[in-house]
Amino acid sequence: MTPHIHANLGDFAKTVLMPGDPLRAKFIAENFLSDVHEVSHVRNMLAYTGNFQGKPVSVMGSGMGMASIGIYSWELFTHFDVDAIIRVGSCGAYTEELKLFDVLLAESAWSESSFANTQNGHKDPITLPSAALNQRLLTTANEINVPLYQGKIHSSDVFYRQEENAHERLYREHQVIAVEMESFALFHNAQVLGKQAACLLTVSDHLVTQQAASSEDRERAFTQMMQVALHSLR
Ligand code: HPA
């Protein structure tokens, strides 16, 4: 039991998949897993454990932003014996190299966030996922024929910026190809605690072309991303 997760040791599987939206976690549990049960619902941050093709896995919402995923990932790693967290989220594209609904594997996360510096004095604006977990996701994507785009992503603390077309500057100055709001903190926590983390994203909106996804297209891209995460389970 932790302040934000009311569950017992053993309730979570070793690997937890984390979408931002708790209702996404519920959808994943109901549509992709078998033998599922809910393990926590504090603040409606729904968490489930079940099986995918006989392999135990948990799925839990992270909420939006680094403050939120910072809390849940820390508690999962430190109190529930979780070894690996795979974020399964969405992102906005900063470059036309990326198309709507592409599936992206984060190679690194760049951020202006003070999260890592505040947490333990880490000053590098880049945090890294687990190389082993990334390799497993790449191998899996290859095996099931899902094209995976790789690159440095931007973890932003701010969704609504005053600066117009900030994406152009950020892409030019930092070579970040897409924006989301969680991975920098997730990777940092995993690194500090000697655990594994990775981040898969689908492109849900495009900052350059201003396109946004229809719900059917969103669903198809999301399913492809979930297949990579689930088939990578060992
Ligand atoms: N900004 C930040 N996070 C996001 C976006 C965005 O445009 N799209 C999906 N996650």
Side-chain angles (χ1 to χ4, degrees):
M1 192 94 113
T2 61
H4 309 97
I5 304 173
H6 290 184
N8 296 308
L9 188 61
D11 282 348
F12 282 90
K14 294 286 183 193
T15 299
V16 180
L17 309 181
M18 292 198 104
D21 180 356
L23 291 180
R24 236 331 131 77
K26 184 168 197 266
F27 178 90
I28 292 167
E30 288 172 352
N31 290 279
F32 293 94
L33 306 186
S34 56
D35 315 312
V36 189
H37 60 283
E38 186 189 286
V39 292
S40 182
H41 59 230
V42 182
R43 291 175 186 244
N44 281 333
M45 198 54 78
L46 304 170
Y48 303 85
T49 295
N51 290 301
F52 178 74
Q53 297 182 348
K55 298 182 188 104
V57 61
S58 296
V59 53
M60 179 176 189
S62 69
M64 288 183 286
M66 290 186 252
S68 187
I69 200 165
I71 291 170
Y72 294 112
S73 60
W74 188 270
E75 293 182 9
L76 287 171
F77 283 144
T78 56
H79 284 74
F80 298 98
D81 220 11
V82 168
D83 288 340
I85 295 177
I86 304 173
R87 167 165 152 70
V88 281
S90 64
C91 64
Y94 277 180
T95 161
E96 285 190 86
E97 277 171 54
L98 277 175
K99 306 293 175 218
L100 222 48
F101 317 120
D102 277 354
V103 184
L104 179 62
L105 177 68
E107 282 181 325
S108 61
W110 174 86
S111 186
E112 322 84 331
S113 165
S114 60
F115 183 94
N117 189 28
T118 304
Q119 202 281 323
N120 76 345
H122 176 103
K123 304 245 185 304
D124 191 341
I126 291 175
T127 61
L128 300 174
S130 151
L133 194 49
N134 265 26
Q135 190 51 54
R136 211 160 83 204
L137 291 164
L138 277 172
T139 305
T140 304
N142 212 20
E143 281 165 6
I144 63 172
N145 284 317
V146 173
L148 265 196
Y149 209 99
Q150 291 182 76
K152 190 201 297 182
I153 60 168
H154 177 201
S155 293
S156 178
D157 273 334
V158 178
F159 190 89
Y160 297 107
R161 280 174 191 254
Q162 205 67 7
E163 178 186 356
E164 278 181 39
N165 296 321
H167 67 273
E168 290 173 4
R169 180 181 60 77
L170 291 161
Y171 177 62
R172 191 176 59 244
E173 292 178 359
H174 302 286
Q175 304 81 47
V176 281
I177 61 173
V179 58
E180 52 86 83
M181 306 185 78
E182 291 81 18
S183 293
F184 178 78
L186 172 64
F187 296 168
H188 178 76
N189 277 354
Q191 206 272 323
V192 166
L193 295 167
K195 303 279 187 170
Q196 296 194 314
C199 173
L200 288 167
L201 300 166
T202 56
V203 178
S204 63
D205 47 83
H206 211 296
L207 282 287
V208 183
T209 63
Q210 304 291 333
Q211 286 170 287
S214 76
S215 54
E216 297 83 28
D217 289 339
R218 221 183 250 264
E219 194 72 39
R220 187 156 12 89
F222 173 75
T223 300
Q224 284 204 320
M225 173 177 68
M226 287 312 306
Q227 295 299 341
V228 176
L230 291 165
H231 284 280
S232 79
L233 295 170
R234 293 288 177 267

